[in-house]
Amino acid sequence: MVAPDAFGVVGLGRMGGGLASRAARDGFHVVGTTRSDVDDNVKDAGVEVVDDPSGFRERLAPPRVIMLYVPAGPVIDDLIGQLVDVLDAGDVIVDGGNSYWGDSIRRHDRLNERGIYFVDVGTSGGVEGIQRGACFMVGGQPEAVDRVEPILRPLAAEGGYVHAGPPGSG
């Protein structure tokens, strides 16, 4: 599969902002949104900031990949609720917030009914992972993982990427 050159990030804090900044510096077109102020380092890296998730529809071509880097919990479901109205079948939502595996399976099932892929990605490495590469443990259907792998592999530390299995495995 040809590597996508653009993706979205919800949550431009320490993890999401760092990942988005690194990807932008590495040549990806990154569109991001967050509820808080955006750090100047994120903007300086070239991340395009939109006001809310609806901006992804016009700023990213399908099939879109949207990564969520917000704390695990109900906020993920709230964001998914917002995103399903702006995404198309074949688009991918990636939860990088280390959610409970059962929630990931439930979210996968919910989105699968709409033809939207869901990939759960356990992410570690902290702020240092931004410079050295993060570690990604990916759970999802192979066709969905194929769409996000070309984004995650270049951002991963050496040996820091694994497709661990089906939804809920990440």
Side-chain angles (χ1 to χ4, degrees):
M1 167 171 257
V2 175
D5 63 355
F7 65 95
V9 177
V10 178
L12 296 173
R14 294 183 80 182
M15 283 296 289
L19 180 122
S21 297
R22 169 133 187 240
R25 284 192 300 272
D26 287 353
F28 286 95
H29 176 211
V30 183
V31 179
T33 188
T34 195
R35 291 190 298 183
S36 58
D37 292 334
V38 179
D39 188 279
D40 287 339
N41 292 329
V42 173
K43 293 177 189 174
D44 292 345
V47 176
E48 180 182 357
V49 179
V50 294
D51 291 334
D52 58 62
S54 67
F56 294 134
R57 182 159 190 80
E58 62 187 50
R59 303 305 306 155
L60 297 170
R64 298 168 192 89
V65 172
I66 309 298
M67 298 186 179
L68 309 181
Y69 275 94
V70 299
V75 68
I76 302 291
D77 293 305
D78 293 343
L79 285 169
I80 288 172
Q82 293 174 45
L83 287 167
V84 295
D85 292 333
V86 299
L87 297 181
D88 297 317
D91 290 345
V92 183
I93 296 175
V94 176
D95 176 8
N98 298 326
S99 292
Y100 170 65
W101 64 270
D103 288 339
S104 295
I105 292 171
R106 177 180 50 78
R107 291 170 181 141
H108 164 267
D109 291 345
R110 172 184 173 199
L111 289 167
N112 193 47
E113 292 174 2
R114 297 187 72 134
I116 297 172
Y117 293 108
F118 181 82
V119 176
D120 51 289
V121 177
T123 304
S124 65
V127 177
E128 288 184 15
I130 284 67
Q131 279 103 31
R132 296 184 181 148
C135 292
F136 300 109
M137 186 166 59
V138 181
Q141 299 166 278
E143 58 271 23
V145 172
D146 286 348
R147 294 189 183 179
V148 299
E149 184 174 332
I151 297 168
L152 296 177
R153 275 204 186 270
L155 299 173
E158 186 174 335
Y161 175 91
V162 64
H163 179 195
S169 300

